[in-house]
């Protein structure tokens, strides 16, 4: 599968890329991109950031590169992509985000998450966790909450609380 992860110049994108190690990976970011080659992934520019056409720009790149899975990490991408999920699905491109109706539940007020780990869920199924000791707890959490996307996990009163992993810019 070909997967595009945004925020490609960030440490978070490199961490998240571990969850998709078996995929053909593209790390993408806005603005200029350093000339860099890697056997694990391709690094590309999404052009200059233009908030009025975020979803259109990402869809164009996904179609041009034949991407099947989009993992958005920037906070400014969230709303435009949530409004465009159906359009991406028409082109058989999966976006790793929770459903629009519940996405607000997974955004931490104030932004700072005291994460003990992070995990990736695909349609409620845990596909990767940075702390394998949490796997059994997360498998049931994913099913209970129908999680989809990349989440930071915070421990609150012995409960794991998921928040979307987002890069502010």
């Amino acid at each position: 599968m070909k997967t595009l992860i945004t925020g490609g110049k960030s440490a978070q994108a490199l961490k998240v890329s571990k969850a998709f190690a078996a995929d053909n990976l593209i790390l993408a970011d806005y603005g200029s991109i350093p000339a860099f080659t890697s056997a694990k992934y391709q690094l590309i520019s999404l052009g200059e950031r233009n908030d009025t056409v975020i979803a259109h720009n990402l869809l164009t790149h996904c179609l041009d590169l034949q991407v099947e899975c989009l993992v958005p990490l920037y906070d400014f991408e969230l709303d435009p992509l949530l409004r465009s999920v159906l359009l991406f699905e028409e082109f058989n491109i999966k976006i790793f985000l929770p459903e629009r109706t519940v996405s607000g539940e997974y955004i931490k007020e104030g932004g700072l998450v005291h994460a003990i780990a992070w995990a990736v869920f695909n349609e409620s199924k845990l596909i990767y966790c940075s702390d394998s000791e949490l796997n059994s707890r997360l498998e049931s959490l994913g099913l209970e909450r129908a999680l989809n996307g990349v989440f930071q996990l915070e421990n609150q009163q012995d409960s794991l609380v998921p928040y979307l992993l987002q890069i502010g810019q």
Side-chain angles (χ1 to χ4, degrees):
M1 180 181 323
K2 194 176 267 193
T3 301
L4 187 146
I5 301 173
T6 67
K9 294 185 282 189
S10 71
Q12 291 94 329
L14 288 173
K15 285 180 188 177
V16 170
S17 71
K18 292 177 187 176
F20 300 93
D23 293 1
N24 183 352
L25 270 180
I26 301 168
L27 299 183
D29 216 322
Y30 299 90
S32 60
I33 297 293
F36 178 78
T37 55
S38 170
K40 295 182 180 182
Y41 56 83
Q42 177 184 1
L43 190 60
I44 67 159
S45 175
L46 295 169
E48 293 304 315
R49 177 178 162 186
N50 180 346
D51 289 349
T52 59
V53 293
I54 293 292
H56 179 268
N57 185 29
L58 287 169
L59 179 61
T60 299
H61 279 87
C62 287
L63 292 173
D64 289 349
L65 298 167
Q66 299 172 339
V67 167
E68 300 162 81
C69 177
L70 173 62
V71 182
L73 296 183
Y74 280 121
D75 56 1
F76 61 84
E77 296 168 331
L78 181 62
D79 190 50
L81 286 172
L82 285 171
R83 286 187 268 120
S84 305
V85 168
L86 186 59
L87 178 62
F88 280 78
E89 286 175 353
E90 288 176 5
F91 290 101
N92 295 316
I93 300 168
K94 175 167 182 38
I95 302 177
F96 269 67
L97 284 175
E99 288 191 30
R100 186 174 188 191
T101 56
V102 296
S103 62
E105 295 175 28
Y106 302 113
I107 304 208
K108 175 123 184 204
E109 292 301 320
L112 184 61
V113 176
H114 300 288
I116 60 167
W118 62 273
V120 179
F121 294 88
N122 183 6
E123 297 175 2
S124 303
K125 184 178 184 223
L126 176 68
I127 61 171
Y128 184 88
C129 180
S130 63
D131 182 348
S132 59
E133 291 181 17
L134 297 174
N135 282 2
S136 61
R137 289 174 68 189
L138 290 175
E139 287 169 358
S140 60
L141 181 69
L143 290 170
E144 283 171 25
R145 297 212 180 179
L147 295 177
N148 190 54
V150 182
F151 293 87
Q152 299 176 88
L153 304 161
E154 196 171 75
N155 197 4
Q156 295 178 3
Q157 301 169 349
D158 293 328
S159 251
L160 290 176
V161 179
Y163 293 105
L164 273 174
L165 175 65
Q166 294 184 298
I167 302 170
Q169 192 174 14

